[in-house]
Amino acid sequence: MKEINMIERSYCGSGGCMSCPFSHSNEAEMAQNYGCLPTPQQIVEMKEKSGHNWACHSDETVLCGGFAKYIKRNRPDLNINEGQLISYETWAHEGEAKAIQEANSRELRLAQDEIQRLTKENDGIKQALNKIAVLKPLINNETNTCNLQFVITTAQLALEGETK
């Protein structure tokens, strides 16, 4: 069972640490002045240029709550539901460009996985259509034949639309 550590809540209300850039705390400003943490403006600029979101630096698997709150209030034109997470660790150790590249790579991998899933799904639909086509001559009721033909035609049109 994972141990849950209680952490002091930030001023930004995100539930993160006191050094969250969006908390505007002394700790955050000190870390930003040392270059250890980006400013809120730098984080928003990364979102603008890459489409990706700032990850919580305490838990990089989740969106930074302060960032999310700021975007919802001040920049509703930026969609926090789109894009991957930009890693604080990568940003701090390898720079902004590498952190954005890492998020781009993650997004590309997810897109490739989705393409593979859809391809398999389409192959399954094609196999089902072939089986239906084999059964079609066995159906002697005109109504059932008409309904079956409608299903086949609709599915084929859907498949053609997805490949275009």
Side-chain angles (χ1 to χ4, degrees):
M1 187 166 168
K2 185 178 177 183
E3 182 181 333
I4 299 173
N5 295 319
M6 296 300 290
I7 55 175
E8 190 174 353
R9 300 296 183 208
S10 66
Y11 300 125
C12 69
S14 70
C17 71
M18 293 299 291
S19 62
C20 175
F22 294 92
S23 71
H24 305 290
S25 68
N26 290 335
E27 292 88 345
E29 286 187 29
M30 189 168 33
Q32 291 164 16
N33 289 337
Y34 287 133
C36 302
L37 196 62
T39 65
Q41 181 59 36
Q42 289 171 319
I43 293 171
V44 171
E45 287 172 0
M46 283 188 267
K47 172 67 173 172
E48 289 172 333
K49 83 176 125 173
S50 72
H52 299 303
N53 301 299
W54 186 249
C56 174
H57 68 274
S58 296
D59 180 357
E60 293 192 350
T61 65
V62 298
L63 180 67
C64 170
F67 169 76
K69 191 177 206 178
Y70 177 87
I71 294 297
K72 286 179 184 178
R73 285 185 179 168
N74 302 298
R75 292 296 306 273
D77 58 305
L78 298 175
N79 187 348
I80 60 170
N81 296 313
E82 293 176 355
Q84 296 300 309
L85 295 175
I86 298 172
S87 163
Y88 163 74
E89 287 295 320
T90 304
W91 178 90
H93 295 100
E94 300 180 54
E96 179 182 315
K98 179 66 176 173
I100 290 173
Q101 179 186 19
E102 183 179 79
N104 286 340
S105 295
R106 199 174 305 114
E107 189 164 51
L108 180 59
R109 277 193 307 276
L110 289 173
Q112 289 169 332
D113 291 347
E114 180 69 4
I115 289 168
Q116 286 180 343
R117 184 190 67 76
L118 290 171
T119 300
K120 287 178 185 176
E121 197 173 279
N122 284 339
D123 287 346
I125 292 170
K126 288 176 186 174
Q127 289 173 5
L129 285 174
N130 287 336
K131 288 180 183 180
I132 290 170
V134 169
L135 294 175
K136 185 179 173 187
L138 302 176
I139 298 173
N140 55 11
N141 179 318
E142 286 184 25
T143 303
N144 286 339
T145 302
C146 182
N147 289 340
L148 184 60
Q149 186 58 50
F150 175 76
V151 168
I152 292 169
T153 303
T154 303
Q156 287 172 333
L157 289 172
L159 285 171
E160 289 173 11
E162 288 179 5
T163 59
K164 291 183 180 177

